[in-house]
Amino acid sequence: MTALEQLIEALKRLPGVGQKSAQRMAYHLLQHDRDGARAIAQALAAAASQVRLCERCHTFSEAPVCEICSDTRRDASLLCVVETPADQAALERSGSFQGYYFVLQGRLSPLDGQSTQAIGAQQLLARAAEPAVQEVILATSFTAEGEATAHVLGEALRARGIKATRLARGVPVGSELEYVDLGTIAHALVDRR
Amino acid sequence: MTALEQLIEALKRLPGVGQKSAQRMAYHLLQHDRDGARAIAQALAAAASQVRLCERCHTFSEAPVCEICSDTRRDASLLCVVETPADQAALERSGSFQGYYFVLQGRLSPLDGQSTQAIGAQQLLARAAEPAVQEVILATSFTAEGEATAHVLGEALRARGIKATRLARGVPVGSELEYVDLGTIAHALVDRR
Ligand SMILES: [Zn+2]
Ligand SMILES: [Zn+2]
């Protein structure tokens, strides 16, 4: 394979990018934006080596503990559980939540071997058991797998005497939290049940 | 900016990639495919430094002269002029052209300062003046700018006594050659006028 063919193959690893898009991207960069190609290469290598998971909430972070977890002015009585760093970022952008987060490693998907263990349920239960936590808000997606994840985690939390709530159904059913508009997210937070 | 934010900014330099897509790509690579991130970084850096333009036809090539230009079994009487390496690749995939190519540096766009000089018209006229060339097929896009480019180049070629033809109108008007199906391209080549 030539360097151009290798580049097209590599770009196909990006989500949502097929042969046509990969080719268009490669040709564009080589013909019009070689500085861009080098900038993207550098940013990818830097992020792949520098971005780690926050020890406390498991979102992306370059420091051992992320900025939010390091912020002592937030409401320690509320812990919001999300599926991905993207969901956490969407909630944070809504500006309607002042507590702390816990980011799962995805959602339950027994068929894909995503067990409660694999998504970090043990760490969540340990985090939720800290005395300051009064309520855990389960903000997993309103998809079948997200609902199942919320159900299983909710049961486990309540069995340990921890209050567990769910975002209200203001969030459109079947959608990924990351793509929901901010107003809907804010509303769903207020109406949590 | 964090390494993650820098990565999202960098990915937005890819054509067709906005804030949302860039974020989705960055999150996907960091959460599920760090090897992919490193592979793309490496392929981009390699391509940016290794891929050059063929000295003879100006398409992408790692060698000073590309494979097609180095192939002496092709029909030296036909020279096909295209706007981009992507168009050249589309024509080659159609399997209906056995001559050689000349890749312009884009198309005439006086408002953007793309002059005949800038797109490589001088080099084309020199290449077309080689004794073996009997016909130059102008396969620029059927857009206003592509038509203007074909018109100007056709005039210049004919003024030098060189036969210049245009792909037939089998190619849908207003479309980019790169995205045209192979059968249409083959038909348009046969019907060239
Ligand atoms: Zn954190
Ligand atoms: Zn060549």
Side-chain angles (χ1 to χ4, degrees):
Chain A
M1 275 204 292
T2 65
L4 176 59
E5 288 164 345
Q6 280 173 352
L7 174 56
I8 293 169
E9 282 310 302
L11 289 170
K12 282 159 73 177
R13 294 180 77 155
L14 292 169
V17 175
Q19 175 71 27
K20 280 266 175 193
S21 306
Q23 188 183 311
R24 195 161 58 95
M25 288 172 173
Y27 282 23
H28 171 82
L29 292 174
L30 290 174
Q31 213 170 22
H32 304 293
D33 194 13
R34 294 209 179 208
D35 286 347
R38 292 191 190 91
I40 298 169
Q42 202 161 26
L44 279 167
S49 73
Q50 290 165 28
V51 177
R52 294 282 166 264
L53 299 188
C54 167
E55 288 171 4
R56 199 154 164 73
C57 76
H58 300 175
T59 196
F60 292 135
S61 175
E62 285 172 65
V65 174
C66 78
E67 261 184 61
I68 292 174
C69 289
S70 308
D71 183 351
T72 54
R73 291 163 305 177
R74 296 182 73 112
D75 184 351
S77 71
L78 293 177
L79 185 66
C80 184
V81 179
V82 292
E83 290 172 6
T84 65
D87 290 344
Q88 187 257 338
L91 270 163
E92 191 60 15
R93 277 199 305 277
S94 82
S96 50
F97 182 66
Q98 300 303 320
Y100 292 98
Y101 296 96
F102 186 90
V103 180
L104 298 170
Q105 300 308 299
R107 49 196 170 191
L108 286 181
S109 180
L111 295 178
D112 300 336
Q114 279 286 74
S115 62
T116 43
Q117 192 81 357
I119 64 170
Q122 290 301 327
Q123 292 98 317
L124 167 62
L125 292 174
R127 174 73 178 85
E130 291 179 16
V133 178
Q134 301 296 310
E135 178 183 349
V136 175
I137 304 170
L138 298 164
T140 52
S141 293
F142 283 93
T143 57
E145 292 175 349
E147 294 275 23
T149 305
H151 179 76
V152 170
L153 295 177
E155 295 286 292
L157 288 162
R158 288 182 203 104
R160 282 159 181 77
I162 302 163
K163 181 179 176 188
T165 57
R166 186 96 171 93
L167 283 192
R169 282 276 179 154
V171 177
V173 173
S175 65
E176 311 266 351
L177 203 58
E178 180 184 356
Y179 301 105
V180 173
D181 69 282
L182 306 183
T184 303
I185 289 179
H187 200 267
L189 260 170
V190 172
D191 281 355
R192 68 183 182 269
R193 56 186 167 75
Chain B
M1 274 205 291
T2 65
L4 176 59
E5 289 164 345
Q6 281 174 351
L7 174 57
I8 293 169
E9 282 310 303
L11 288 170
K12 283 159 72 176
R13 293 179 78 153
L14 292 169
V17 175
Q19 176 71 27
K20 281 265 173 194
S21 307
Q23 188 183 312
R24 196 160 57 95
M25 288 172 173
Y27 282 23
H28 171 82
L29 292 173
L30 290 175
Q31 213 170 22
H32 304 294
D33 194 13
R34 293 209 180 208
D35 285 349
R38 292 192 191 90
I40 298 168
Q42 201 161 27
L44 279 166
S49 74
Q50 290 166 27
V51 177
R52 293 284 165 263
L53 299 188
C54 167
E55 288 171 5
R56 198 154 164 73
C57 75
H58 300 176
T59 197
F60 293 135
S61 175
E62 286 172 66
V65 174
C66 78
E67 261 185 60
I68 291 174
C69 288
S70 307
D71 182 353
T72 55
R73 292 162 306 177
R74 296 183 73 110
D75 183 351
S77 71
L78 293 176
L79 185 66
C80 183
V81 178
V82 293
E83 289 172 6
T84 66
D87 290 343
Q88 187 257 337
L91 269 163
E92 191 61 14
R93 276 198 307 277
S94 81
S96 50
F97 182 68
Q98 300 303 320
Y100 291 97
Y101 294 96
F102 186 91
V103 180
L104 297 170
Q105 301 306 300
R107 50 197 170 189
L108 285 182
S109 178
L111 294 177
D112 300 336
Q114 279 285 75
S115 61
T116 43
Q117 191 81 357
I119 63 170
Q122 290 301 328
Q123 291 98 318
L124 168 61
L125 293 174
R127 173 74 178 83
E130 291 179 16
V133 178
Q134 300 295 310
E135 176 182 350
V136 176
I137 303 170
L138 298 164
T140 52
S141 293
F142 282 93
T143 57
E145 292 176 348
E147 295 275 23
T149 305
H151 179 76
V152 170
L153 295 177
E155 295 286 291
L157 288 161
R158 288 181 203 107
R160 283 159 180 77
I162 302 164
K163 181 179 176 187
T165 58
R166 185 94 172 95
L167 284 192
R169 283 275 179 154
V171 178
V173 173
S175 65
E176 311 268 349
L177 203 58
E178 181 183 354
Y179 300 105
V180 173
D181 70 283
L182 306 183
T184 303
I185 289 179
H187 200 266
L189 260 170
V190 172
D191 282 353
R192 68 182 181 269
R193 55 187 166 76

